[in-house]
Amino acid sequence: MENRIQQLREGRLQPGRGLLFGTHRPHPVERIPFDAASLANRYRVGRKPGGEPYRFIIKTYGCQMNEHDTETMAGLLQAMGYEPAAYDADADVILFNTCAVRENAEDKVFGEIGRIRPLKAANPGLILGLCGCMAQEQGVQELVLRKFPWIDLVFGTHNLHRLPELLTRARNSLDTVLEVWDKPAELVEDLPKVRRDRVRAWVNIQYGCNKFCTYCIVPYTRGPERSRLPQDIVNEVAGLAAAGCREVTLLGQNVNDYGADLGDVTFAQLLRKVNAVDGIERVRFTTSNPWNFTDELIAAIAECDHVVEHIHLPVQSGNNQILKRMNRTYTREFYLNLVERIRRAIPGVSLTTDIIVGFPGETEEQFLDTLRLVEEVRFDNAFTFIYSPRENTPAARFPDDTKSEEKKERLLRLNELQTRISREINESLRGAVVEVLVEGPSKTNPSVWAGRTRTNKLVLFPGRPEWAGRLGRVRITDPQSWVLKGEWLEAADAYPANARGTRRPTAEADRREALA
């Protein structure tokens, strides 16, 4: 069969059809339910001789997937009888849930592990554990055994559910307990979780990635794509709604591919199922690869009342040669066409993105293509990074003769451009009335409360404790580059539903549509 990427580059392949490459072969794993009661009986720790509980701290680095994994590990630990600790010195277990996407994240982890080493002398029973994506790297495993012998436990992303057994082994061992699976053997459901937020929640719909972008370590640390069954997902969302949750974010390394391994459901169909769950006001999702962002998915977002008008759509580069070397499987032209179709179908949609500068071999002219794309698309926000080589990824072997100072200068220029665009977009909302979901008080000023719009903009306003978890109307009085400040008007149920059937003001969408 003729290479479809070549067809696309030559303009002979219709976009938006959701074509799947051979890399999307199913990777079936066994689905098993988790028995929390059995866990409590087998591995419960009881109390210390003085009657105090054993306590834990989990230090989390990286993406929402890691944050959600931390909620699961906290649930497992509490099922064992552990309780959260407020300070490192009070903990009997400290876990480092790590990220391997960039080198500086790894440096921070090892720096923190070195900093808390003296706690082991003060508390010989303290268990230090390294888990998450870093633990999946063979080089990290060898480094821990060679230079960090005071780490008691190392486990990876595929056997997180075995934490109770592994922790029990570590408590009774003088050597480092290291168990890292190269690939998942089972998809475990019904794991206990301790949600950090009673208003908003993350829900995994898929694990792993099959894209193999040349710079990315995720396929190696998270494994191949595995989709949860749709009914398991819907049941979890329904349970969250019953507990008072108002917003869910569906998580996956590439949510567009959800269901490719199941064969009878698509991500667009899953969105419609979740949208129908009573009690959930907002449905978000992340992250999407532009290549498989289908017309079916665009229609589902446009037609589902509770699916918000915000899409995170990583572009990474605006130059076709760099995109090809990254193995992103789409072109600049394809991306711009996709943005046009999204905006035509979803008025007022907010688009955010990820961009890498200084990819090996990137020239000044190729970087200028990225600046021109950012100017053309006008993202609401962009997460920008200097390329960081990762162990065993193809790009780590690419020649790279661009000086570090030049890469930093490019990043500065990109950030200055995006800051200007973000400020201009937000300035268009001055005086607009927006719907916010109230999250809670500001970390620095308890009289100032924070909420987010459907388009994922952070809004600060004077608030009261009884507003937590409510939908409300806020008039924007002071728009800034990364935050909107405003004044509370009233609860959202004080005005009628609009044409989409949701109780949300249309001023934000109307103002953004006029700007576009």
Side-chain angles (χ1 to χ4, degrees):
M1 179 182 293
E2 185 180 5
N3 188 302
R4 284 177 174 168
I5 300 178
Q6 186 61 37
Q7 293 178 14
L8 173 64
R9 292 194 177 107
E10 295 176 0
R12 297 185 287 115
L13 185 63
Q14 181 180 351
R17 298 300 296 270
L19 298 172
L20 302 179
F21 290 102
T23 55
H24 291 79
R25 288 188 294 271
H27 296 273
V29 292
E30 181 184 2
R31 176 196 178 276
I32 63 170
F34 190 84
D35 188 347
S38 174
L39 162 76
N41 291 332
R42 293 181 61 188
Y43 299 110
R44 192 165 185 84
V45 294
R47 298 237 165 194
K48 297 179 182 179
E52 303 91 353
Y54 289 94
R55 298 188 181 276
F56 72 92
I57 281 180
I58 305 176
K59 298 176 180 290
T60 309
Y61 304 79
C63 66
Q64 297 99 324
M65 192 75 74
N66 278 20
E67 295 281 357
H68 189 42
D69 285 349
T70 288
E71 293 182 334
T72 301
M73 287 188 285
L76 291 168
L77 290 168
Q78 291 199 22
M80 295 175 67
Y82 287 90
E83 295 183 12
Y87 305 100
D88 292 351
D90 299 330
D92 301 283
V93 175
I94 299 178
L95 298 179
F96 293 84
N97 187 11
T98 61
C99 172
V101 171
R102 279 172 289 279
E103 185 176 7
N104 64 343
E106 296 189 359
D107 293 340
K108 289 180 181 178
V109 169
F110 283 122
E112 182 70 1
I113 289 174
R115 184 189 69 81
I116 67 173
R117 182 184 183 182
L119 293 179
K120 292 279 285 186
N123 179 9
L126 173 63
I127 299 295
L128 299 182
L130 180 75
C131 56
C133 291
M134 276 177 60
Q136 292 290 143
E137 299 181 74
Q138 184 175 355
V140 169
Q141 298 165 23
E142 295 171 351
L143 183 64
V144 167
L145 295 176
R146 187 172 68 252
K147 291 190 175 182
F148 297 88
W150 61 91
I151 294 180
D152 304 284
L153 173 62
V154 179
F155 61 100
T157 59
H158 303 314
N159 58 336
L160 179 150
H161 61 287
R162 287 177 48 76
L163 171 60
E165 178 179 341
L166 297 174
L167 180 55
T168 301
R169 285 169 50 190
R171 292 181 64 189
N172 296 293
S173 174
L174 297 177
D175 298 320
T176 300
V177 173
L178 190 154
E179 181 181 289
V180 178
W181 295 358
D182 292 334
K183 58 184 179 180
E186 50 202 16
L187 203 161
V188 183
E189 290 290 348
D190 306 321
L191 286 167
K193 299 177 179 66
V194 176
R195 304 281 182 177
R196 293 178 54 194
D197 191 327
R198 70 176 185 86
V199 177
R200 302 171 300 154
W202 292 301
V203 176
N204 277 115
I205 67 169
Q206 173 206 56
Y207 303 92
C209 182
N210 292 353
K211 291 302 187 204
F212 287 94
C213 300
T214 58
Y215 55 82
C216 186
I217 199 170
V218 169
Y220 308 96
T221 60
R222 289 282 178 177
E225 292 173 3
R226 296 97 64 203
S227 301
R228 294 178 65 196
L229 297 179
Q231 196 56 52
D232 286 333
I233 297 167
V234 172
N235 288 344
E236 182 175 349
V237 173
L240 288 166
C245 180
R246 308 294 300 276
E247 174 183 299
V248 295
T249 300
L250 307 182
L251 288 180
Q253 303 297 339
N254 179 26
V255 293
N256 302 15
D257 281 352
Y258 171 80
D261 53 333
L262 299 178
D264 57 355
V265 62
T266 66
F267 179 52
Q269 292 168 342
L270 178 68
L271 270 186
R272 294 183 186 274
K273 291 177 183 289
V274 174
N275 182 73
V277 174
D278 289 337
I280 296 297
E281 295 289 343
R282 293 181 175 181
V283 180
R284 302 186 184 276
F285 59 88
T286 192
T287 297
S288 292
N289 187 297
W291 167 245
N292 203 31
F293 208 104
T294 65
D295 291 335
E296 178 194 22
L297 178 54
I298 294 173
I301 298 169
E303 295 166 9
C304 289
D305 296 340
H306 303 297
V307 178
V308 299
E309 300 80 14
H310 169 240
I311 298 171
H312 187 65
L313 198 64
V315 65
Q316 305 300 0
S317 174
N319 177 267
N320 283 341
Q321 291 175 299
I322 296 297
L323 288 172
K324 182 178 181 180
R325 286 167 57 80
M326 289 179 168
N327 193 34
R328 290 294 289 174
T329 69
Y330 57 82
T331 63
R332 172 194 182 95
E333 293 74 22
F334 180 95
Y335 188 93
L336 292 174
N337 177 268
L338 174 59
V339 168
E340 180 183 352
R341 289 186 288 119
I342 289 173
R343 284 181 166 157
R344 186 166 59 244
I346 311 169
V349 67
S350 167
L351 294 179
T352 55
T353 197
D354 296 336
I355 298 174
I356 296 173
V357 302
F359 188 76
E362 181 188 66
T363 65
E364 173 67 13
E365 184 59 33
Q366 289 169 335
F367 170 69
L368 290 177
D369 278 344
T370 297
L371 292 185
R372 286 187 280 263
L373 182 138
V374 170
E375 188 75 74
E376 182 172 352
V377 174
R378 294 182 62 82
F379 297 103
D380 286 69
N381 198 359
F383 300 90
T384 59
F385 313 95
I386 293 176
Y387 167 75
S388 176
R390 308 311 301 130
E391 179 185 21
N392 296 325
T393 58
R397 300 187 293 273
F398 292 173
D400 186 5
D401 56 0
T402 305
K403 296 181 179 179
S404 174
E405 292 75 15
E406 186 173 354
K407 293 181 180 182
K408 292 178 181 178
E409 189 268 341
R410 289 177 184 174
L411 181 65
L412 177 63
R413 289 155 61 193
L414 173 60
N415 288 342
E416 288 176 345
L417 172 60
Q418 183 58 55
T419 299
R420 173 177 64 80
I421 292 172
S422 296
R423 180 58 187 263
E424 290 171 355
I425 292 174
N426 285 353
E427 183 62 36
S428 73
L429 296 174
R430 183 182 295 274
V433 176
V434 299
E435 179 196 88
V436 300
L437 177 62
V438 182
E439 298 175 358
S442 165
K443 295 180 180 180
T444 58
N445 186 348
S447 66
V448 175
W449 282 62
R452 287 190 183 271
T453 67
R454 287 175 62 99
T455 53
N456 205 39
K457 292 186 179 295
L458 179 63
V459 183
L460 301 179
F461 50 91
R464 298 200 298 265
E466 61 265 29
W467 294 352
R470 296 182 65 180
L471 291 171
R473 302 175 73 197
V474 174
R475 176 178 287 114
I476 303 305
T477 58
D478 182 17
Q480 301 176 7
S481 296
W482 313 120
V483 67
L484 304 171
K485 296 183 178 181
E487 56 184 6
W488 177 271
L489 297 180
E490 59 184 339
D493 54 9
Y495 57 91
N498 66 10
R500 284 192 73 189
T502 59
R503 294 186 178 277
R504 66 179 180 90
T506 59
E508 183 183 6
D510 291 345
R511 184 71 62 89
R512 288 178 50 78
E513 191 173 9
L515 180 68

